[in-house]
Amino acid sequence: MNNGFWKNFKGFSDENEILNTKKEFNYNGKFDINEINFNDTVFLYKSDYLLKNEIKQKSIHKIDGIAFTLGLEGEMKLKSYISGEKFSSKKSYINLHLISQDCIYHEIPRNSSYKALSFILKKEFLEKVLPDNTFKEYIFNTLENSNFSKMLYNSLMDIKMSFLANEMYKSPMVGKLNQLYLESKTLEVIYHCLNTFSQSQPDKDLSGIKFSQYDIKALNKAKKILLENMQKPPSIEELSKIVKLNDFKLQFGFKKFFNLTPYSFLLEERMQKAKILLKESEYNINEIALLVGYSYAQNFSNAFFKRFGIRPKEIMKTRNYYY
């Protein structure tokens, strides 16, 4: 990662400064951070640092919205230039805060590792997905006069959030399937995070999300599209445009009506179809992997074993004519 890595982030300006020397930076060890942009309104950052020397970084951001971080390893200390308030992102903790224009100092101690998933939800996204209730009113009223240091929630992750964070960080998928996987999981994490926070506040919850008959038809259409395009499924963003339902409502609706995220639904259907093909068809494992959307047989075999606890080859042996 180069010295100006923050300016590759959407909403961050070029006015960044590495506070340690260039020599120290170049020999500082692993310093990786990757951004995934969902429709230019939601951003996911995966951080993976293994540092030999201390890092001190200053960045300026210009986004209005909500940010939160799921700490998986180590600790990063942060400080708002505007207010001087200090806080941190550390292992097993989630912190949720409002953001607007501010300058932030980041600090990680020497001889340490740091892994985290960070999310930024722009104001446009929040306007679209939050129901019109006291929770939304509270967020937007506070956002009008806030900065990065406006902490909303800082607590140990619950079991579900910890599980989701580790699933995302260690994503076993590749290519387009990985994009769909991360989109689906990101929306699930967002819902769980906002719902957890809203329920900790009096009269602030997400129960106001309503589904019309049109919405329900759109969800069933989305379900059908995933089934018909199992080999090359659309992303959440593409699917939401096709069925004319915003991506957050699409994700929440799948959980509400089908008890699964779009990705989990697709994966389950793939596994069930594969199981039938392994038992009843004459296709080999490579062909079945391709038919259910896996480019590599090994990835398919691992996913099948994770779902059923048995390798595809063992299922094939139950055929009348095994070869």
Side-chain angles (χ1 to χ4, degrees):
M1 185 66 64
N2 61 39
N3 287 10
F5 78 94
W6 283 107
K7 57 187 181 181
N8 293 322
F9 288 9
K10 299 290 185 182
F12 286 83
S13 78
D14 291 345
E15 302 173 60
N16 302 295
E17 177 183 343
I18 298 293
L19 301 181
N20 58 323
T21 67
K22 186 174 181 182
K23 182 177 180 181
E24 287 176 326
F25 187 92
N26 287 341
Y27 295 93
N28 206 55
K30 181 166 63 173
F31 200 69
D32 294 333
I33 187 162
N34 297 303
E35 176 194 87
I36 299 178
N37 177 344
F38 302 121
N39 205 26
D40 206 32
T41 57
V42 175
F43 304 93
L44 164 64
Y45 304 103
K46 179 181 178 181
S47 305
D48 184 6
Y49 310 154
L50 183 59
L51 306 177
K52 298 177 183 177
N53 301 311
E54 183 181 52
I55 277 288
K56 292 183 178 179
Q57 176 96 18
K58 182 176 77 174
S59 63
I60 297 171
H61 64 78
K62 298 180 179 180
I63 288 180
D64 288 324
I66 284 178
F68 62 95
T69 299
L70 310 179
L72 297 172
E73 187 174 310
E75 181 177 8
M76 177 188 285
K77 295 180 180 179
L78 303 102
K79 179 182 177 180
S80 167
Y81 181 80
I82 291 177
S83 69
E85 184 174 347
K86 298 178 181 180
F87 50 98
S88 66
S89 166
K90 58 185 178 179
K91 181 180 179 180
S92 301
Y93 273 77
I94 175 173
N95 62 67
L96 177 72
H97 45 264
L98 294 172
I99 57 172
S100 58
Q101 294 193 32
D102 198 358
C103 175
I104 308 302
Y105 289 100
H106 307 75
E107 183 177 336
I108 303 176
R110 68 173 62 208
N111 297 320
S112 64
S113 62
Y114 175 73
K115 294 182 180 179
L117 293 173
S118 299
F119 304 80
I120 292 179
L121 319 178
K122 291 177 73 173
K123 193 173 180 179
E124 300 95 299
F125 176 82
L126 298 171
E127 180 67 51
K128 182 172 66 172
V129 304
L130 291 178
D132 292 324
N133 57 16
T134 53
F135 174 55
K136 183 175 183 178
E137 184 179 355
Y138 169 77
I139 291 294
F140 278 81
N141 286 346
T142 309
L143 196 58
E144 290 298 320
N145 301 297
S146 185
N147 53 57
F148 189 95
S149 64
K150 179 61 180 179
M151 183 66 67
L152 298 177
Y153 183 78
N154 184 32
S155 178
L156 277 168
M157 287 188 276
D158 60 26
I159 294 174
K160 181 175 181 180
M161 185 64 84
S162 181
F163 179 76
L164 284 171
N166 279 283
E167 268 195 327
M168 288 186 69
Y169 200 89
K170 300 173 182 177
S171 170
M173 306 302 165
V174 294
K176 194 149 187 175
L177 185 60
N178 185 58
Q179 178 77 6
L180 175 63
Y181 176 83
L182 290 177
E183 280 186 276
S184 184
K185 289 296 179 183
T186 292
L187 291 169
E188 190 173 357
V189 165
I190 289 170
Y191 171 75
H192 187 65
C193 177
L194 293 181
N195 198 44
T196 299
F197 168 68
S198 68
Q199 289 181 0
S200 71
Q201 309 298 308
D203 302 320
K204 299 176 180 69
D205 60 62
L206 300 183
S207 60
I209 299 177
K210 304 296 183 183
F211 288 87
S212 65
Q213 287 300 312
Y214 174 86
D215 294 335
I216 295 172
K217 286 181 180 179
L219 287 168
N220 281 294
K221 182 179 179 180
K223 183 179 176 181
K224 184 179 179 183
I225 289 170
L226 288 177
L227 288 174
E228 291 175 347
N229 295 273
M230 194 174 290
Q231 291 175 293
K232 293 183 178 180
S235 66
I236 295 292
E237 180 185 340
E238 291 167 340
L239 189 59
S240 66
K241 287 179 180 178
I242 294 170
V243 301
K244 296 180 175 60
L245 193 66
N246 74 62
D247 45 12
F248 187 82
K249 207 167 189 181
L250 177 67
Q251 173 80 5
F252 181 55
F254 257 76
K255 288 286 288 183
K256 180 179 177 68
F257 293 101
F258 309 134
N259 203 34
L260 293 167
T261 65
Y263 168 78
S264 298
F265 168 77
L266 179 63
L267 179 61
E268 181 63 18
E269 292 297 322
R270 281 175 159 173
M271 293 298 100
Q272 294 298 337
K273 181 177 179 179
K275 194 173 184 180
I276 292 172
L277 291 172
L278 287 165
K279 286 181 177 179
E280 301 177 5
S281 75
E282 296 183 356
Y283 293 117
N284 62 38
I285 291 177
N286 287 333
E287 291 169 331
I288 292 173
L290 290 172
L291 285 170
V292 296
Y294 287 85
S295 300
Y296 302 100
Q298 187 60 48
N299 289 345
F300 161 66
S301 181
N302 290 340
F304 192 88
F305 182 79
K306 184 177 179 181
R307 172 62 180 86
F308 296 112
I310 188 173
R311 292 289 175 185
K313 189 173 182 179
E314 298 304 311
I315 299 290
M316 289 180 68
K317 290 179 179 179
T318 63
R319 291 178 178 178
N320 292 331
Y321 303 98
Y322 172 67
Y323 56 90

